[in-house]
């Protein structure tokens, strides 16, 4: 339910995107962030897939601009 980052030793952890909170959201697969990727060439975007139901009807790609901290549904 989160996209996070940290230093390699686990310190300085930070939540970049949070799509849910608590047990109710944890049980809803549509709140899960999966398939993380980083655009190393541009260096400013992080992409992930917002999971949908098992039949893949509601899932969608999303991205975060690391500089502005704004997430966009793709």
């Amino acid at each position: 339910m989160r996209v996070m980052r940290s230093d390699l030793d686990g310190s300085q952890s930070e939540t970049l995107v949070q799509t849910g909170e608590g047990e109710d959201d944890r049980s809803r697969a549509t709140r899960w962030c999966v398939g993380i990727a980083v655009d190393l060439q541009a260096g400013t975007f992080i992409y992930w897939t917002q999971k949908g139901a098992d039949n893949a009807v509601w899932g969608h790609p999303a991205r975060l601009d690391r500089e502005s901290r704004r997430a966009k549904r793709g």
Side-chain angles (χ1 to χ4, degrees):
M1 297 186 317
R2 294 183 200 173
V3 176
M4 299 178 74
R5 71 176 177 182
S6 71
D7 290 343
L8 292 175
D9 65 1
S11 65
Q12 304 295 320
S13 66
E14 175 183 11
T15 299
L16 301 174
V17 175
Q18 184 166 342
T19 61
E21 188 173 322
E23 288 301 318
D24 185 48
D25 284 342
R26 188 170 302 157
S27 67
R28 297 175 59 200
T30 57
R31 300 285 190 192
W32 301 352
C33 303
V34 295
I36 306 293
V38 177
D39 183 348
L40 294 176
Q41 192 168 26
T44 60
F45 294 111
I46 297 172
Y47 297 89
W48 71 95
T49 302
Q50 198 68 43
K51 185 170 174 13
D54 289 339
N55 62 7
V57 172
W58 298 106
H60 63 272
R63 79 174 185 190
L64 174 75
D65 182 330
R66 289 181 18 200
E67 292 176 6
S68 70
R69 296 290 175 105
R70 297 185 80 157
K72 285 188 173 183
R73 185 176 173 159

